[in-house]
Amino acid sequence: GGSPGTGVTPAWGSFRPVGPPLHERVGALLVSDVERGWMWEQRDDGAYATATRDEAVAYCATLERGTYQDFRLPTRWELPSIVDYYAEGPAVELEVFAGTPSERFWTSSPNVVDVAALGWTVDFSMGVVDEEVTTAEHRVRCVRGGPATPTTRYVVGAAGTVDDALTGLTWTSASLFTQYSAEAQFHCQTLALDGGGWRVPEVHELQSLVSDAVAAPSIDGTAFPGTTVGPYWSTTPGFSGSDGWAVDFSMGSVFFVD
């Protein structure tokens, strides 16, 4: 993890109630995200394929489960949606994702520094999202479906708010430097912008702002101008006394701050 001395920053907030995604088993080989429409490959025996990044893309494109033949390798926003950041070893809901190994899984998201040589993985031992060379072999879990991509994702309001049409969340356009998570909580809870009611986001929510198209910062610069190149606080607690989980908007990695 990082260090509080690096200047972890609070992010924004939402008026939508916080709640875990609802996952249900669909037979023995699939898990459905009831709210957002994703359908995940499931292997109770933990025998997920091991492959390089490009092999993983090809594997998912040919996967069949019953009548479903439209699987793909998930993005670095989609795959962490099944991470349970309140669990570890593995960091998943074992009731529905039984057999998940505590290992790194590939995503399809490119690394804009070097699209061919670098990609992104999610480590299911705890949920860390980090870059990796594309020739490395890691586990593969495929997905299909999901929420439709809106024509216009971000709508910036006159009061300095940003409505996200993809997730339904409302954010502040601006952010504020703070060193400790408690300061971030205080800032958001006392923020009077647009009538108040703000909070520090969960790590799943904060991850949703990461853009695969740009870096330094890895976020839409029109909707969120002035975003710091560095880590931002989430409200998701860490392990063993660590301060909590953060998203680094220099590239989009996710880690816990200890």
Side-chain angles (χ1 to χ4, degrees), residues 76 104-107 109-114 117-123 128-134 136 138 215 250-254:
R76 63 169 164 169
R104 295 172 81 169
F105 281 69
W106 275 116
T107 77
S109 294
N111 187 311
V112 295
V113 172
D114 192 330
L118 295 172
W120 292 92
T121 63
V122 179
D123 189 338
V128 170
V129 180
D130 205 359
E131 60 185 0
E132 175 65 292
V133 293
T134 55
H138 294 298
S250 58
M251 292 294 297
S253 58
V254 180

Side-chain angles (χ1 to χ4, degrees), residues 32-69:
S32 174
D33 183 322
V34 177
E35 179 184 355
R36 292 170 291 188
W38 287 306
M39 189 172 286
W40 295 94
E41 175 189 10
Q42 170 60 24
R43 296 179 181 269
D44 287 356
D45 61 0
Y48 292 92
T50 300
T52 66
R53 197 276 309 276
D54 291 349
E55 290 170 345
V57 171
Y59 168 81
C60 288
T62 60
L63 181 68
E64 296 183 13
R65 285 289 182 268
T67 60
Y68 301 119
Q69 302 177 7

Side-chain angles (χ1 to χ4, degrees), residues 4-5 7-10 177-186 233 243:
V8 183
T9 316
F177 171 86
T178 183
Q179 189 169 355
Y180 300 104
S181 59
E183 294 177 53
Q185 299 284 353
F186 178 80
W233 284 118
D243 280 331

